[in-house]
Amino acid sequence: MNNQKISITERDAFPLAKQRFIKTCGFNLDTEKHQRMMKMGLAVREKGIKGIDIRALVSFYGKEAVQDGKICVGDIGFTCNYFEQIPADAIEGVYFYMLTAGECYFSSEENIMDFLYADIWGTNYVDAGIQLLTEKIKEDMEDRFPGRELFLSDEFGPGYFGMPVIESKKFFELLDAEQIGVWVKDSGLMIPQKSCAGFYLVFNRPGMKAEPEC
């Protein structure tokens, strides 16, 4: 699964994105007011939907990539506070990913609600895309390790568990992110902004959780 390009349709992601949109906005759709606001939100989505283009890249590396509390692929190395807590023999591999949802276009920056709703839709399409991508990764894990009971870790990535945001540049290099139209600034900020990168560890035992304070 090295640098496999994966497309996720907006149609598949929409039900999950819609659920997240309602939760993010705090809507109670039993009320007339929130029904009107939801209608406005859906109208913003409809206008901006042409900008939503969910694409991802995934690469798998075996347990040899984990060395002395680091993940190393060639000359590219990743460190994270949590790695030091993991027994070396608990890891069977690592899945790297990068995903973008594009951008939900909005009609005018002067209309603050259009801007706000478009931004929320974009974020929720990223989250929905990650959920669907994780399911695909789990399917690949079952195919790659037939008959074994393995466990996928929480997500790790730039900005989480002590990993600097600037590490996004390493994911860009490792995954050749230009394939899905993602660029990374010197600061580590990804363009389009509705993009994310990270990795999952494959564990051979349950209960391997990162502590929030890491």
Side-chain angles (χ1 to χ4, degrees):
M1 202 177 187
N2 287 344
N3 280 15
Q4 179 177 339
K5 189 174 180 180
I6 297 173
S7 294
I8 297 170
T9 67
E10 186 278 333
R11 177 180 295 181
D12 287 341
F14 174 60
L16 294 172
K18 182 179 178 182
Q19 291 174 8
R20 293 173 179 273
F21 182 85
I22 293 169
K23 183 176 180 179
T24 301
C25 295
F27 289 160
N28 176 2
L29 297 183
D30 291 332
T31 68
E32 186 176 339
K33 177 182 178 181
H34 286 182
Q35 289 173 10
R36 291 197 305 269
M37 295 173 71
M38 184 64 189
K39 187 175 180 179
M40 291 170 56
L42 289 170
V44 169
R45 168 192 167 271
E46 187 65 27
K47 292 177 182 177
I49 199 63
K50 290 183 180 179
I52 296 296
D53 183 14
I54 306 173
R55 291 171 288 171
L57 290 166
V58 178
S59 285
F60 174 82
Y61 294 89
K63 55 188 176 183
E64 65 278 0
V66 182
Q67 306 171 9
D68 300 324
K70 297 181 180 180
I71 296 178
C72 299
V73 180
D75 296 331
I76 302 174
F78 298 87
T79 59
C80 176
N81 294 341
Y82 176 55
F83 295 165
E84 298 176 1
Q85 305 176 30
I86 305 173
D89 61 350
I91 302 173
E92 297 293 333
V94 55
Y95 284 95
F96 289 93
Y97 71 86
M98 182 170 280
L99 179 144
T100 182
E103 298 286 350
C104 182
Y105 299 140
F106 54 95
S107 57
S108 172
E109 292 188 9
E110 296 178 0
N111 188 331
I112 187 63
M113 290 308 298
D114 279 6
F115 174 82
L116 176 62
Y117 283 150
D119 184 69
I120 293 172
W121 277 118
T123 298
N124 289 327
Y125 270 109
V126 170
D127 292 341
I130 288 295
Q131 185 173 339
L132 293 172
L133 179 64
T134 303
E135 292 175 4
K136 292 179 182 293
I137 288 175
K138 288 180 178 179
E139 291 172 1
D140 181 85
M141 185 174 68
E142 291 176 359
D143 292 340
R144 193 177 294 275
F145 300 97
R148 295 189 61 187
E149 185 178 16
L150 297 178
F151 306 87
L152 209 60
S153 74
D154 296 328
E155 301 170 43
F156 296 91
Y160 297 93
F161 303 105
M163 182 178 290
V165 173
I166 200 169
E167 295 283 84
S168 297
K169 296 170 70 175
K170 295 180 180 179
F171 286 88
F172 175 82
E173 181 181 352
L174 177 66
L175 292 166
D176 191 17
E178 294 178 25
Q179 296 181 63
I180 57 171
V182 175
W183 300 85
V184 179
K185 294 185 175 183
D186 290 341
S187 63
L189 178 67
M190 288 181 278
I191 304 296
Q193 292 186 24
K194 299 306 180 184
S195 304
C196 62
F199 58 87
Y200 294 95
L201 297 173
V202 178
F203 293 131
N204 55 26
R205 63 195 69 171
M208 304 295 294
K209 294 290 184 180
E211 296 296 330
E213 64 268 25
C214 291

